[in-house]
């Protein structure tokens, strides 16, 4: 992702918007009302943050809506990372699916909730053993052609899915867990990404 951010003059530090899901629930970050959430987003922007990572499930749409409101006047100055694949029912029971129909529907809803014509980096949130990832990638590839998204990425992925996805279109970024306690990505995923010039 550093390669993408450098191109757009965006820094390497990002703001994860699950933290502003607030009363929308879903992630247990605690309550934060809309005014405070928007103030926090603008505060981070004033201090140089330009990368904002979100997903529909963060607050069940609320984080996206707040992000859209905060930057409605300067959308082109921020880099939005968003994802498809984690849905929920009327009782807010979470479900993961990469069904291409759902992927397309989620993208269109995110564009509305974010109040934007495009998303800078759009990712498939999780692998789905019930759906061939190439079907989901076809949706994202078409969306890129239509300029609804600028870049395609995979989140929490594996090399098998990545290889299949690359048959359809370029995957420019992989987002995955890497910290002091989980170092698995260093052994296999990151070497593969380096070989194929995919950002991590």
């Amino acid at each position: 992702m550093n390669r993408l951010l450098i191109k757009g003059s965006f820094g390497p530090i990002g703001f994860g918007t699950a933290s502003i899901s607030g009363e929308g629930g879903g992630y247990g970050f605690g309550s934060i009302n809309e005014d405070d959430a928007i103030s926090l987003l603008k505060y981070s922007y004033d201090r140089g943050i330009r990368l904002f990572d979100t997903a529909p499930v963060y607050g069940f749409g609320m984080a996206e809506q707040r992000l859209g409101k905060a930057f409605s006047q300067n959308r082109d100055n921020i880099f939005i990372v968003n994802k498809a694949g984690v849905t929920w029912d009327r009782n807010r029971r979470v479900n993961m699916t990469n069904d291409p129909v759902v992927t397309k529907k989620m993208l269109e809803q995110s564009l509305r909730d974010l109040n934007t014509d495009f998303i800078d980096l759009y990712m498939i949130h999780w692998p789905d053993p019930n759906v061939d990832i190439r079907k989901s990638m076809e949706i994202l590839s078409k969306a890129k052609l239509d300029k609804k998204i600028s870049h395609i990425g995979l989140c929490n992925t594996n090399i098998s899915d990545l290889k299949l996805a690359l048959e359809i279109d370029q995957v420019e970024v992989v987002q995955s867990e890497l910290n002091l306690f989980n170092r698995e990505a260093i052994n296999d995923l990151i070497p593969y990404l380096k070989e194929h010039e995919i950002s991590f």
Side-chain angles (χ1 to χ4, degrees), residues 76-105:
D76 289 339
N77 295 327
I78 65 168
F79 191 101
I80 295 177
V81 179
N82 205 354
K83 311 172 193 79
V86 183
T87 63
W88 59 93
D89 63 18
R90 67 182 64 184
N91 297 314
R92 294 187 169 179
R93 285 186 297 242
V94 172
N95 179 48
M96 295 183 189
T97 178
N98 291 334
D99 181 290
V101 173
V102 175
T103 299
K104 184 176 182 180
K105 182 179 177 182

Side-chain angles (χ1 to χ4, degrees), residues 35 96-97 104 106 131 142 187 191:
D35 288 343
M96 295 183 189
T97 178
K104 184 176 182 180
M106 291 188 79
V131 176
K142 174 68 163 55
N187 297 325

Side-chain angles (χ1 to χ4, degrees), residues 75-173:
R75 167 64 184 93
D76 289 339
N77 295 327
I78 65 168
F79 191 101
I80 295 177
V81 179
N82 205 354
K83 311 172 193 79
V86 183
T87 63
W88 59 93
D89 63 18
R90 67 182 64 184
N91 297 314
R92 294 187 169 179
R93 285 186 297 242
V94 172
N95 179 48
M96 295 183 189
T97 178
N98 291 334
D99 181 290
V101 173
V102 175
T103 299
K104 184 176 182 180
K105 182 179 177 182
M106 291 188 79
L107 171 58
E108 296 295 341
Q109 185 62 50
S110 287
L111 289 168
R112 289 191 290 271
D113 285 345
L114 288 162
N115 189 29
T116 185
D117 295 327
F118 72 100
I119 294 169
D120 299 281
L121 171 59
Y122 200 69
M123 313 184 84
I124 296 173
H125 208 154
W126 288 92
D128 180 354
N130 299 313
V131 176
D132 185 332
I133 195 169
R134 290 172 290 192
K135 299 295 184 184
S136 317
M137 281 292 294
E138 287 172 356
I139 299 298
L140 300 193
S141 185
K142 174 68 163 55
K144 190 168 74 170
L145 285 173
D146 293 340
K147 302 191 183 307
K148 293 181 179 181
I149 64 177
S150 302
H151 308 282
I152 297 173
L154 299 183
C155 192
N156 305 301
T157 193
N158 53 65
I159 292 176
S160 297
D161 263 9
L162 184 52
K163 287 178 177 178
L164 292 174
L166 288 168
E167 292 180 14
I168 305 302
D169 205 334
Q170 179 61 40
V171 174
E172 295 185 66
V173 179

